[in-house]
Amino acid sequence: MIEVKNITKKYGNTIALDDVSFKIEEGEIVGLLGPNGAGKSTTMNIITGYIEPTEGEVFIDGINMLKNPKKAKRNIGYMPEGVPLYGDLTAKEFVTYMAGIKKVEKKSLKEKVNNIIEQTGLKDVQNKLIRNLSRGYKQRVSMAGALVGEPKVLILDEPTVGLDPKQITEIRSLIKKLGKDHTVILSSHILSEVSQICDKVIIINKGKLIAIDTPSNLENKTLNNNSIYVTVEDANNKLVKIVEGIENVKEVKLVTENEDGTKQYLISGNDGKDLRKVIFASLAKENITIFEMKKSDATLEEAFMKLIDEGGEE
Ligand code: ADP
Ligand code: MG
């Protein structure tokens, strides 16, 4: 549905995007994730044809954005960063105005505007001036603007920034709903948000694409899920030797020595092997008492930080 091919964007000496490529399939909700200044808005501005890349190409539903922008843009609804302009229009006037820009047929205009207002939960405030609406409603107005013209693709730049927790929940569920019949790309610098809403995550940092995968695959790939913390009483210091002799154990590290004489070790294994059973049996055989054993509870947040760190190296 969307193909970004070797996009580079330079602003003078600043490289905002550096040879970024990815594909997004129809119907996916994809999160563009990265810290501030990573290049998220630049990527979105290029996909929507709002700015041109220095190098590279973008295809929307097979149509080349650079060669055929008018046609390519017809498939896209774009919600830019920040609050909507046109504060002096009412919500309904704004959506109607957008419908004019998107050349929605006069015949069906009223009905379509009303549908979008309904869909985005703006019915109760449709006749209020945008500038008098709460931040959450302003965001809905922006979203409504993006929905005009029935685009197949929705591009939402930081849709939850500046919202309170309740508004965030509401906007997220609206995005999920819209994701049922649209391809959606949203940007965020909040990892948990992206992993909650999105089927796929694209991580960018300093203009470079670092990873593209499902949230759960990213978690599995980047973290050693086979790491086990074990706290033992091991007066004769036999543990390291015993555990190193177990098949599929990669590494044993002493983490802490506790005041009560117990020690905590971190044992990491090869992919896909849960080592708890065999560790338990081996240590029991040697009369090493296990006080605690748990799988490493590293999170996607850590995976993200790790990826960003690695990708940030020049
Ligand atoms: P994000 O949306 O991830 O926060 P942006 O895409 O806005 O990041 O910015 C990426 C980089 O490009 C930043 O270093 C930013 O300063 C730079 N940049 C963006 N727009 C411009 C511009 N119009 N002129 C110069 N530099 C820009
Ligand atoms: Mg941005």
Side-chain angles (χ1 to χ4, degrees):
M1 188 72 208
I2 297 172
E3 187 174 7
V4 169
K5 251 177 141 172
N6 307 103
I7 290 289
T8 294
K9 178 71 186 177
K10 293 180 185 159
Y11 291 107
N13 288 329
T14 312
I15 301 181
L17 287 177
D18 187 3
D19 196 23
V20 169
S21 302
F22 57 82
K23 277 186 194 171
I24 291 170
E25 306 300 331
E26 184 159 5
E28 283 183 325
I29 304 185
V30 176
L32 207 52
L33 183 69
N36 286 330
K40 302 181 296 292
S41 296
T42 305
T43 305
M44 292 181 143
N45 280 328
I46 289 172
I47 294 174
T48 53
Y50 196 72
I51 60 172
E52 284 191 7
T54 311
E55 278 168 55
E57 288 176 309
V58 174
F59 297 88
I60 311 291
D61 210 7
I63 302 160
N64 189 320
M65 178 56 83
L66 289 160
K67 293 191 176 141
N68 210 340
K70 256 193 177 160
K71 203 169 166 207
K73 280 180 193 174
R74 231 170 272 160
N75 285 318
I76 293 180
Y78 181 31
M79 188 184 102
E81 219 169 4
V83 287
L85 304 167
Y86 312 107
D88 289 335
L89 298 184
T90 66
K92 189 170 187 173
E93 282 166 354
F94 173 75
V95 179
T96 309
Y97 167 77
M98 288 301 290
I101 289 182
K102 291 261 180 147
K103 302 210 164 34
V104 174
E105 269 187 69
K106 285 249 159 55
K107 232 174 28 190
S108 55
L109 190 136
K110 254 192 179 160
E111 186 198 334
K112 289 200 165 139
V113 167
N114 284 334
N115 280 346
I116 289 171
I117 284 184
E118 184 88 34
Q119 209 180 348
T120 48
L122 285 168
K123 213 171 164 192
D124 294 344
V125 300
Q126 58 180 322
N127 295 316
K128 287 192 181 170
L129 292 182
I130 292 172
R131 68 173 141 84
N132 293 334
L133 296 177
S134 69
R135 177 77 210 232
Y137 275 117
K138 280 182 179 146
Q139 205 69 311
R140 284 164 186 268
V141 172
S142 240
M143 199 96 96
L147 282 169
V148 170
E150 289 152 27
K152 290 185 193 169
V153 179
L154 283 179
I155 310 235
L156 313 172
D157 197 352
E158 306 246 14
T160 61
V161 157
L163 303 185
D164 67 37
K166 183 164 170 272
Q167 294 166 337
I168 289 178
T169 312
E170 286 167 2
I171 289 284
R172 282 182 188 161
S173 60
L174 178 58
I175 293 170
K176 273 201 171 164
K177 217 167 69 189
L178 293 172
K180 287 192 182 136
D181 41 20
H182 293 86
T183 304
V184 180
I185 308 181
L186 64 96
S187 69
S188 173
H189 57 274
I190 308 162
L191 179 75
S192 59
E193 166 161 289
V194 162
S195 57
Q196 269 177 47
I197 312 178
C198 302
D199 307 312
K200 211 191 236 177
V201 188
I202 296 174
I203 300 180
I204 56 171
N205 188 37
K206 296 182 183 169
K208 289 200 171 87
L209 189 143
I210 294 176
I212 173 164
D213 216 326
T214 62
S216 66
N217 275 348
L218 277 176
E219 199 161 0
N220 289 334
K221 263 191 205 164
T222 47
L223 299 166
N224 192 345
N225 270 334
N226 303 306
S227 294
I228 289 156
Y229 286 99
V230 53
T231 304
V232 295
E233 194 173 66
D234 176 24
N236 302 319
N237 286 317
K238 290 191 294 188
L239 180 137
V240 174
K241 209 161 175 212
I242 295 163
V243 173
E244 275 178 352
I246 296 173
E247 201 183 348
N248 287 314
V249 167
K250 260 201 317 222
E251 201 183 11
V252 188
K253 268 196 302 206
L254 179 66
V255 183
T256 43
E257 286 190 56
N258 300 315
E259 276 174 16
D260 62 3
T262 60
K263 290 177 191 152
Q264 188 185 42
Y265 291 91
L266 178 62
I267 302 167
S268 31
N270 291 321
D271 289 346
K273 303 277 186 310
D274 189 343
L275 297 166
R276 283 177 294 185
K277 240 180 177 169
V278 55
I279 289 170
F280 182 85
S282 306
L283 296 183
K285 214 164 81 188
E286 300 288 336
N287 291 319
I288 297 174
T289 312
I290 297 174
F291 281 73
E292 191 188 25
M293 180 150 70
K294 61 175 183 186
K295 280 191 101 169
S296 156
D297 50 3
T299 62
L300 200 50
E301 207 73 46
E302 288 172 50
F304 176 54
M305 294 317 293
K306 208 164 132 188
L307 282 167
I308 294 280
D309 280 348
E310 285 166 6
E313 279 162 28
E314 296 299 304

